[in-house]
């Protein structure tokens, strides 16, 4: 029996796994790559001090252990001495590689786009302003001890160290690349489970890094990312890939061929208003529409992948290892109240000296039944408020274009954090955000996010984020309508691919295929 089981395990391991990514990858430099597909590739070829598990907890990466000073400001990491960079000759991963990575991040001449996330590191602001890099609070004490000093406690600092931006960079390899680091196969550093074997405009192939050592074994033999293929769902159903993000309408067919389905509620679809326009800059009109939306009526007619919601932050979002919606009160100020809705809406019309609502177009994506669903919303408004807006379905690309240019009155848009942390969603509503084309500004909201970043405990940070969400809802800056479930399907006999849905982060280290 033992021999039989060993043989089965051997047959399941060492396989190459296939996954489609939609657009070419141009940069695999951990400190500078921002594209989600690039960061997914980096997450499979690199490893930081810590690794984030699918359940949100942190596990050892290059760091075997760490200690934190009593004041919470000094982190001391003990690195494993058997970690190695991929290559013909073994090169150890050392504390100096992490120091060099952070020096690159805070290079005043060309700072990393992620530098602001790590600004609490001692002297980080001064270094960005041109102070010597040697003053940055990241130092090596020998080859295998790394010390990071902060200016203030932050409960999410360890989470940041599990990000691709905090992965190490070997100085010798970087300087040898002569400006091409991360841009060509030969100049991509890999200290994780895999390394880049092939990189073209149509394919990236990863092979196992024989110098990688970890507490958990690498079971997959490699990964093949196919770039730019259309009809990814059909390619998966035809057996040409091993995992895919699957449209709802294909879930039943995938299940019928033995696929394993994993689900995440990571997207909230919301009605947004252009507050730069006089009509929609009036909060009473927005609130009237919010109170006039009958969620029960909507729920009876939505497909199974959509769940009505009156809150902004989706169920999959977290603050640290805490699920945001578990901590936040599920109630919302935007409750269906037709009598109050009519009263408030009329107050808004009176304030603007309108006899009735001026003509308004409600733009919605022409995909996935959103136009039909917003037709139901329009019916609710017409019934409860005697208000009519024109629902017009346009392509998702035109939705984005109109939003970017401010050429809209009302629009249906998806909201989802760029990573699991809810702050990346809420920060889109800051006055200074490049994403804030809503015309929204509330100093109290910005102050709440600033105060959240200064908290020393996760519970305190959560409280500030909850209050920030309530500001957006009470002012009807957005009207949440429904959460959309995202489906990931793994092929028959495939297991062990870990999915972190924000950023479509897939890790193939322990993937198996029978």
């Amino acid at each position: 029996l033992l021999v039989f089981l060993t043989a089965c395990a051997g047959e399941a391991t060492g396989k190459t796994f296939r996954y489609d990514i939609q657009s070419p990858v141009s940069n695999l430099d951990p400190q500078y790559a921002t594209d989600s597909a690039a960061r997914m590739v980096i997450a499979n070829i690199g490893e930081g001090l810590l690794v984030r598990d699918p359940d949100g907890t942190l596990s050892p990466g290059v760091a075997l252990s760490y200690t934190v000073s009593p004041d919470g400001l000094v982190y001391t990491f003990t690195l494993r001495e058997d970690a190695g960079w991929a290559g013909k000759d073994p090169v150890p991963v050392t504390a100096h590689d992490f120091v060099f990575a952070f020096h690159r991040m805070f290079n005043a001449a060309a700072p990393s786009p992620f530098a602001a996330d790590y600004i609490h590191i001692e002297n980080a602001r001064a270094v960005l302003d041109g102070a010597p890099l040697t003053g940055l609070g990241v130092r090596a004490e020998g080859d295998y001890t790394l010390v990071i000093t902060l200016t203030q406690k932050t409960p999410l600092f360890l989470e940041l160290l599990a990000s691709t931006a905090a992965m190490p960079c070997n100085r010798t390899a970087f300087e040898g690349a002569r400006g091409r680091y991360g841009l060509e196969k030969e100049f991509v550093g890999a200290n994780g489970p895999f390394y880049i074997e092939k990189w073209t405009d149509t394919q990236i192939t990863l092979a196992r890094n024989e110098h990688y050592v970890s507490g958990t074994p690498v079971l997959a033999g490699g990964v093949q990312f196919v770039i730019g293929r259309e009809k990814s769902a059909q390619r998966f159903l035809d057996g040409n890939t091993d995992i895919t993000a699957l449209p709802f309408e294909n879930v039943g067919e995938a299940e019928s061929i033995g696929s394993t389905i994993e689900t995440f509620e990571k997207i909230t679809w919301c009605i947004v208003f252009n507050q730069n326009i006089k009509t929609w800059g009036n909060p009473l009109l927005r609130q009237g529409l919010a109170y006039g939306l009958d969620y029960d009526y909507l729920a009876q007619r939505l497909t199974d992948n959509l769940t009505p919601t009156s809150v902004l932050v989706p169920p999959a979002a977290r603050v640290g290892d805490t699920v945001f919606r578990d901590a936040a009160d599920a109630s919302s100020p935007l409750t269906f109240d037709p009598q109050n809705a009519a009263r408030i809406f009329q107050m808004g019309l009176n304030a603007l000296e309108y006899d009735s609502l001026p003509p308004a177009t409600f733009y919605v994506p022409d995909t996935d039944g959103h136009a039909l669903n917003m037709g139901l919303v329009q019916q609710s408004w017409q019934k409860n408020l005697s208000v009519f807006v024109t629902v017009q379905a346009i392509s998702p690309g035109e939705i984005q274009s109109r939003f970017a240019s401010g050429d809209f009155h009302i629009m249906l848009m998806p909201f989802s954090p760029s990573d699991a942390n809810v702050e990346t969603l809420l920060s889109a509503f800051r006055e200074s955000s490049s994403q804030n084309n809503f015309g929204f500004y509330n100093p109290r909201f910005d102050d709440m996010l600033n105060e959240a970043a200064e908290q020393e405990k996760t519970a305190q940070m959560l409280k500030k984020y909850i209050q920030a969400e309530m500001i957006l809802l009470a002012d009807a800056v957005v009207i949440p309508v429904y959460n959309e479930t995202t489906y990931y399907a793994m092929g028959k006999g495939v297991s062990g691919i870990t999915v972190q849905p924000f950023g479509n982060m897939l890790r193939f280290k322990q993937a198996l295929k029978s």
Side-chain angles (χ1 to χ4, degrees):
L1 180 61
L2 179 62
V3 171
F4 174 75
L5 291 175
T6 303
C8 287
E11 291 173 3
T13 60
K15 302 291 182 66
T16 296
F17 294 82
R18 301 156 299 169
Y19 178 67
D20 285 349
I21 54 180
Q22 297 309 307
S23 55
V25 172
S26 59
N27 183 359
L28 292 174
D29 182 337
Q31 277 71 59
Y32 290 87
T34 58
D35 176 73
S36 60
R39 295 186 73 186
M40 180 184 63
V41 174
I42 293 168
N44 283 279
I45 64 174
E47 187 164 276
L49 295 165
L50 302 169
V51 176
R52 185 184 292 111
D53 295 329
D55 63 1
T57 59
L58 297 174
S59 297
V62 179
L64 282 173
S65 62
Y66 66 89
T67 61
V68 184
S69 63
D71 62 5
L73 298 179
V74 181
Y75 290 73
T76 303
F77 297 88
T78 300
L79 277 54
R80 61 186 320 129
E81 298 185 17
D82 50 4
W85 292 96
K88 182 178 180 181
D89 300 315
V91 175
V93 180
T94 70
H96 306 289
D97 297 328
F98 286 95
V99 172
F100 184 63
F102 278 101
H103 281 185
R104 293 186 64 227
M105 182 183 293
F106 289 98
N107 181 345
S112 163
F114 303 102
D117 295 338
Y118 301 83
I119 202 67
H120 294 317
I121 293 176
E122 185 179 54
N123 292 326
R125 296 183 188 278
V127 169
L128 285 176
D129 289 337
L133 279 166
T134 52
L136 189 67
V138 183
R139 70 180 190 278
E141 293 186 353
D143 288 341
Y144 299 104
T145 300
L146 180 73
V147 180
I148 302 178
T149 304
L150 307 181
T151 55
Q152 69 176 60
K153 290 173 65 175
T154 174
L156 300 185
F157 184 65
L158 291 175
E159 292 280 327
L160 290 170
L161 296 181
S163 169
T164 56
M167 288 180 177
C169 180
N170 182 274
R171 183 169 193 150
T172 300
F174 174 80
E175 292 177 346
R178 297 181 179 274
R180 301 297 297 165
Y181 188 78
L183 303 180
E184 299 176 15
K185 177 176 75 71
E186 293 77 12
F187 304 127
V188 175
N191 73 308
F194 307 100
Y195 70 94
I196 301 288
E197 184 177 57
K198 181 180 180 180
W199 183 7
T200 69
D201 289 340
T202 59
Q203 182 177 313
I204 297 176
T205 302
L206 310 185
R208 190 181 290 178
N209 174 13
E210 300 300 333
H211 302 310
Y212 173 76
V213 179
S214 171
T216 54
V218 180
L219 302 180
V223 187
Q224 183 183 77
F225 297 107
V226 180
I227 301 171
R229 290 287 179 89
E230 297 181 354
K231 301 180 180 179
S232 293
Q234 191 59 51
R235 279 174 42 78
F236 171 82
L237 295 170
D238 291 340
N240 294 316
T241 57
D242 295 296
I243 184 170
T244 191
L246 199 65
F248 169 66
E249 58 266 24
N250 297 121
V251 170
E253 185 178 356
E255 290 177 328
S256 72
I257 61 174
S259 301
T260 302
I261 308 295
E262 194 167 1
T263 63
F264 302 91
E265 285 187 290
K266 68 171 188 174
I267 299 170
T268 305
W269 286 89
C270 298
I271 300 167
V272 301
F273 304 88
N274 187 346
Q275 297 181 43
N276 294 307
I277 295 172
K278 177 183 177 181
T279 300
W280 302 113
N282 185 298
L284 296 172
L285 294 183
R286 303 194 305 266
Q287 291 165 348
L289 293 182
Y291 298 139
L293 176 54
D294 187 345
Y295 287 96
D296 289 339
Y297 174 73
L298 193 63
Q300 296 169 15
R301 292 159 175 81
L302 294 177
T303 52
D304 290 343
N305 63 320
L306 302 175
T307 305
T309 184
S310 56
V311 291
L312 171 62
V313 177
R318 297 173 177 267
V319 175
D321 59 0
T322 301
V323 176
F324 181 86
R325 293 263 66 98
D326 288 349
D329 189 339
S331 65
S332 166
L334 304 183
T335 56
F336 177 53
D337 185 345
Q339 290 185 338
N340 194 34
R343 180 182 63 84
I344 291 176
F345 196 83
Q346 187 60 51
M347 288 172 59
L349 293 177
N350 294 342
L352 293 171
E353 299 182 346
Y354 290 166
D355 293 328
S356 61
L357 184 70
T361 301
F362 182 6
Y363 292 110
V364 304
D366 61 3
T367 56
D368 302 322
H370 292 302
L372 177 61
N373 296 337
M374 292 307 102
L376 298 173
V377 171
Q378 161 60 26
Q379 291 174 24
S380 185
W381 287 341
Q382 195 164 11
K383 175 183 177 182
N384 297 302
L385 297 170
S386 299
V387 168
F388 181 82
V389 297
T390 301
V391 176
Q392 182 173 336
I394 59 178
S395 70
E398 189 175 351
I399 288 279
Q400 292 298 325
S401 176
R402 284 185 174 275
F403 179 71
S405 65
D407 183 16
F408 70 99
H409 283 213
I410 313 173
M411 188 174 284
L412 181 71
M413 295 188 66
F415 288 83
S416 183
S418 58
D419 57 39
N421 187 6
V422 66
E423 194 276 339
T424 60
L425 187 159
L426 296 176
S427 63
F429 296 89
R430 285 181 178 273
E431 182 191 25
S432 60
S433 172
S434 60
Q435 300 171 281
N436 185 356
N437 290 335
F438 316 100
F440 168 72
Y441 174 57
N442 184 326
R444 184 164 166 260
F445 175 83
D446 283 11
D447 289 345
M448 204 65 67
L449 293 189
N450 293 336
E451 290 171 14
E454 296 170 357
Q455 299 307 309
E456 297 182 356
K457 295 182 179 179
T458 302
Q460 296 168 333
M461 181 176 284
L462 263 166
K463 183 177 179 181
K464 297 296 182 181
Y465 286 141
I466 292 167
Q467 291 172 333
E469 182 191 42
M470 286 299 108
I471 290 172
L472 296 176
L473 296 177
D475 204 28
V477 177
V478 296
I479 303 177
V481 184
Y482 41 70
N483 293 130
E484 180 182 356
T485 299
T486 300
Y487 299 85
Y488 285 87
M490 280 187 280
K492 184 177 181 179
V494 175
S495 63
I497 301 174
T498 60
V499 179
Q500 293 171 342
F502 296 100
N504 295 320
M505 186 67 74
L506 309 182
R507 286 186 168 88
F508 293 84
K509 174 181 173 179
Q510 293 197 289
L512 292 170
K513 187 191 303 184
S514 60

